[in-house]
Amino acid sequence: MMEFLHKLSEMKKGLIRPLSLFSFSCIVSIGTLFLYNLPFFNYVANNSNESVGGKIFLLASLVVIMLVLNFMMAYLVMFLMRIVGRVLLAILALINATAVYFIFTYSVMIDSTTIGNVFNTRYSEASGFFSWSLWLFIFVFGLLPALYCLFQPVIYGKVKKLGIYCGSSLAVVLVIASMNISQTLWISQHDTELGGLLQPWSYLVNTCRIISFSHDEQAEEIKLPDGQITDDEKAVVVLVIGESARKANFQLYGYERETNPLLSQQEDLKVYQATSCATYTTAGTKAILEPENSDDLYEMLPNYAFRTGVDVSWRTSNWGEPPIHIDEYLTDSELSEQYPDENKNYDGILIKGIRDRIESSPKNKVLIVLHTSTSHGPKYADKYPKEFEVYKPVAKNVEEGEKNIGMLINAYDNTIRYTDFLLDSLINTLRAMEEWNSAMIFISDHGESLGENKMFMHGLPMRLAPKVQYEIPFFVWTSKGFRDYKPTSSKQDAPEGELPAVLEQHYIFHSVLNLLSIQSPAYKKDFDIFQVKDDGERQH
Ligand SMILES: [Zn+2]
C-alpha cells in the first residue's frame, strides 16, 4: 500500500511540474479574469461614456488592477495558509462559476439583495434553478479550476519574496488608480453594478454586508403608538399578497389575453395603477405591511392589528416576510394537515375553509393575510393545477423558456388565470357572508421579467429595473356599503382629498386600519384609499 502511494506521488511529480508560487498566482489571476469577469468588462465597455481611446485606457487600467489584485490575493492566501489556502481558492472557483452562470442566464447582479435572496430562499424553490446546463457549467468552469488549485505542486519560496511582490503590486495599483482619477465619479455612479459583476468580490463583500444587516435586524421592531377599535360592526379584511405578479399580464389592466375571465365580470372591483417599492420579495412584502417607507423595522400591520385586538391569521405558501408575531401562523403544509383533501402544491390550499375560519371567530374584526406564491418562477408551470393550463405549450422552467419566450409566457399567463380563479372564489365567499362587512385586497410584492431585453425573473436594483419588474396589480373589492373610495386624480401630485394617479405599497397599512375601524396616531389619512367614515355615523 505504502509503496503504491509512493509510486503514485512519483508519477504525479513526473506528470505535473512544480511551479513557483509566483507563476501559480499568475495563472490563478489570469484564470479568474477570463473565466469569471468578462461580464464586468462587458458592462464597463457598454456603459462608459468615454471616447474609444478613453474606453480602451479605462478597460486596460481595470484589467491590470484586477490582475494585480487577484495575483496578490492568491499569493497571500497560499503563502499564509498553505493547504487551507488551496481549499479556499478551490471553493471560490466553484462559487465564481455559479455566480457567472446566473449572471449570464438570468441577467442578475450579485449585489447585497441577490445574496440576501440566496440566504432567504428555501431549498425547494432554489432547486428549481438546478439544471443540467448549470451542472455542466460548474464542472467546466468551477470544478476543473478547483482541482487545479488543489493539486498543482507549488514551491512556496521565502518571506522576502512575499514582501517584494505584495509591495510592488500595491504600488502598481496605486499608480494606475491615480492615472484614472477622473473616472472616480463614473465609478461611484455605477458602483452597485460594477461591484455586482466583479468575482469573487461581489459575493464576498455582499455576504459580509448581509451578515451585518441581519445582525442589525435582530433588533426589536419599533412599536407604534397604541390604537383602539372604535366600533363593534363585524368586519373582515382578506389581504392577498401576490408573488411576482406583474400588471402587464392582467386582463384587468388591458392585457390582450383573457387572463382574468372571472375578475373582469366581478362588480365593485376597484383597480389601481401601482408600483412596488422594490423588485424582490423581502422588501416588497415589508413595504406592503409597514406604515411608511423606512430602513427601520416598524411594527408590521398584522402584529399591530393583533395587538390592538383584531383576530389575525397569516396563511402562507411563500417566505421572506418580516417577523410576524401573532397566534395563528399557518404554512401550506400545516393547512394541508387540516384539509387533507386539498392539493397542497397549489395556492388553493390558502383559501380552503376560509369562510368557517372567519365565521367562527370570537372577534368582530378579522384580518387574514394570504402570502401566495402563485406566479413564482422559475417553474411557472408547476404553480397551477392542470385544468388551468389554458395557454399551451408551456416551458417547464425559465431555462427552457429562454429558447422559446412564447412558451414561458404561456406558463406565466396560466398562473395569472389561476390567480384570477382564486381571487374570484374568495370574493364570492366573502359576498355570501351577509352578516359581515368584507374586503379583499390584492397587491403584488413586485413584478417579473419574462425575457424582455433578455431579462428574466426579478431582483434588479430599482434604478436599473425595467418597468415590468415594478409595475404591479393592486385591486380591491368591498361588500356593499362597507366604505367609500376616495377619487383618484389624473395627476401624481393630487389635490387634497384625492389619490395620486399611481399608488405605491404603503397605502395598504392605512387603508386596512380604516376598514378595521382602528383609530391610531400611526394612521395617515393621505395614505388611505377610502374616505374616513364620519364620526357621527361611527359612534351611533
Ligand atoms: Zn417575490
Side-chain angles (χ1 to χ4, degrees):
M1 185 67 186
M2 286 302 288
E3 204 179 326
F4 173 74
L5 282 179
H6 185 71
K7 262 191 184 157
L8 195 73
S9 81
E10 285 292 303
M11 258 170 71
K12 211 173 87 181
K13 271 184 200 154
L15 281 177
I16 321 176
R17 214 156 44 89
L19 289 177
S20 67
L21 184 52
F22 175 83
S23 315
F24 176 80
S25 305
C26 285
I27 291 173
V28 170
S29 170
I30 293 169
T32 307
L33 186 111
F34 281 104
L35 295 179
Y36 311 126
N37 282 301
L38 294 184
F40 172 88
F41 291 105
N42 189 33
Y43 182 89
V44 175
N46 287 332
N47 289 280
S48 158
N49 28 29
E50 290 287 312
S51 61
V52 178
K55 238 179 217 185
I56 292 173
F57 183 72
L58 175 65
L59 283 169
S61 305
L62 288 170
V63 166
V64 175
I65 289 179
M66 198 182 288
L67 282 175
V68 171
L69 284 178
N70 287 338
F71 166 82
M72 207 162 77
M73 179 189 75
Y75 201 104
L76 274 174
V77 162
M78 285 289 284
F79 191 90
L80 299 176
M81 294 189 266
R82 307 289 155 122
I83 183 72
V84 179
R86 283 179 186 277
V87 173
L88 280 180
L89 290 180
I91 294 174
L92 289 183
L94 289 169
I95 308 180
N96 281 339
T98 316
V100 172
Y101 177 83
F102 282 104
I103 289 173
F104 275 131
T105 313
Y106 298 106
S107 306
V108 296
M109 304 257 171
I110 312 291
D111 60 6
S112 60
T113 308
T114 324
I115 297 292
N117 291 341
V118 168
F119 287 127
N120 283 315
T121 301
R122 292 187 301 198
Y123 173 76
S124 62
E125 281 294 335
S127 60
F129 287 108
F130 297 134
S131 60
W132 283 111
S133 55
L134 171 62
W135 293 125
L136 183 69
F137 196 94
I138 291 182
F139 179 81
V140 175
F141 295 103
L143 191 64
L144 295 181
L147 289 175
Y148 178 77
C149 292
L150 286 175
F151 295 112
Q152 168 65 47
V154 167
I155 300 158
Y156 286 94
K158 300 242 162 54
V159 185
K160 204 173 123 193
K161 271 193 176 166
L162 171 85
I164 294 171
Y165 289 137
C166 287
S168 35
S169 297
L170 280 178
V172 170
V173 169
L174 283 177
V175 168
I176 296 184
S178 63
M179 284 158 70
N180 282 280
I181 208 87
S182 61
Q183 297 290 342
T184 326
L185 178 66
W186 182 81
I187 288 174
S188 71
Q189 281 165 349
H190 294 255
D191 56 348
T192 316
E193 299 79 33
L194 293 171
L197 294 171
L198 192 59
Q199 313 315 329
W201 311 106
S202 63
Y203 55 86
L204 290 181
V205 173
N206 286 310
T207 301
C208 295
R209 284 170 67 190
I210 285 292
I211 291 169
S212 78
F213 281 158
S214 63
H215 191 258
D216 293 345
E217 276 177 20
Q218 297 300 322
E220 269 298 277
E221 58 182 27
I222 303 164
K223 284 256 184 304
L224 297 174
D226 290 353
Q228 57 173 19
I229 298 171
T230 57
D231 65 42
D232 50 13
E233 286 173 357
K234 281 186 181 296
V236 54
V237 178
V238 182
L239 169 62
V240 185
I241 302 176
E243 171 58 61
S244 310
R246 68 182 214 183
K247 182 184 111 172
N249 290 48
F250 277 70
Q251 186 189 349
L252 289 175
Y253 288 90
Y255 188 43
E256 70 272 16
R257 274 183 166 176
E258 288 187 6
T259 50
N260 305 126
L262 303 169
L263 286 173
S264 55
Q265 302 297 315
Q266 278 287 1
E267 282 176 30
D268 307 321
L269 200 67
K270 184 84 179 166
V271 178
Y272 291 103
Q273 301 297 327
T275 54
S276 62
C277 300
T279 65
Y280 55 101
T281 305
T282 45
T285 313
K286 179 171 174 273
I288 290 170
L289 300 174
E290 69 189 351
E292 62 181 60
N293 201 6
S294 166
D295 289 336
D296 292 323
L297 183 63
Y298 279 96
E299 199 168 7
M300 294 289 141
L301 175 64
N303 304 343
Y304 186 59
F306 180 71
R307 185 162 71 82
T308 309
V310 176
D311 176 12
V312 184
S313 178
W314 183 282
R315 295 176 162 214
T316 179
S317 63
N318 208 329
W319 67 95
E321 73 276 356
I324 303 296
H325 323 290
I326 54 172
D327 283 349
E328 190 175 273
Y329 179 100
L330 295 166
T331 63
D332 45 0
S333 0
E334 284 161 335
L335 282 163
S336 84
E337 283 167 28
Q338 271 183 47
Y339 307 107
D341 53 324
E342 182 74 27
N343 191 329
K344 68 167 179 181
N345 296 325
Y346 307 119
D347 276 348
I349 190 75
L350 299 179
I351 58 170
K352 189 76 188 167
I354 206 159
R355 179 168 183 170
D356 286 347
R357 173 61 186 82
I358 298 165
E359 288 183 328
S360 63
S361 172
K363 305 220 165 146
N364 292 324
K365 305 291 177 193
V366 178
L367 169 64
I368 296 187
V369 185
L370 307 181
H371 193 192
T372 67
S373 62
T374 327
S375 300
H376 200 294
K379 295 179 168 177
Y380 304 115
D382 288 355
K383 304 299 293 183
Y384 52 83
K386 263 280 168 271
E387 63 263 34
F388 290 89
E389 198 152 286
V390 177
Y391 304 108
K392 297 175 207 181
V394 297
K396 281 196 205 68
N397 53 37
V398 168
E399 273 202 317
E400 194 182 301
E402 272 180 50
K403 286 159 221 135
N404 191 328
I405 301 290
M407 281 163 67
L408 187 73
I409 294 173
N410 284 347
Y412 184 84
D413 284 348
N414 292 328
T415 70
I416 306 296
R417 281 285 287 230
Y418 185 46
T419 303
D420 180 68
F421 165 79
L422 293 175
L423 298 180
D424 180 71
S425 326
L426 190 54
I427 291 172
N428 293 339
T429 305
L430 293 174
R431 185 189 282 117
M433 295 166 35
E434 287 173 359
E435 285 189 14
W436 291 75
N437 278 327
S438 54
M440 191 287 301
I441 302 174
F442 178 76
I443 186 164
S444 188
D445 61 345
H446 51 75
E448 186 84 330
S449 280
L450 293 170
E452 298 85 4
N453 296 317
K454 298 216 160 51
M455 281 188 255
F456 296 89
M457 314 281 285
H458 54 265
L460 277 188
M462 273 305 266
R463 66 200 158 93
L464 292 175
K467 276 185 185 171
V468 285
Q469 288 195 21
Y470 60 77
E471 285 188 345
I472 50 167
F474 174 12
F475 46 84
V476 182
W477 174 89
T478 60
S479 58
K480 289 251 184 306
F482 191 2
R483 290 286 188 274
D484 295 326
Y485 293 97
K486 270 186 202 160
T488 301
S489 166
S490 56
K491 291 189 256 47
Q492 201 50 25
D493 190 16
E496 176 84 28
E498 290 187 25
L499 296 171
V502 181
L503 304 184
E504 47 103 342
Q505 291 163 320
H506 293 96
Y507 282 79
I508 301 295
F509 184 96
H510 306 278
S511 305
V512 172
L513 249 47
N514 180 347
L515 291 170
L516 296 171
S517 306
I518 295 176
Q519 205 173 53
S520 160
Y523 167 79
K524 284 191 241 156
K525 88 172 185 312
D526 288 348
F527 279 80
D528 185 350
I529 60 170
F530 301 106
Q531 308 274 13
V532 182
K533 210 175 170 188
D534 68 73
D535 285 339
E537 205 179 325
R538 201 181 269 182
Q539 279 161 4
H540 74 123

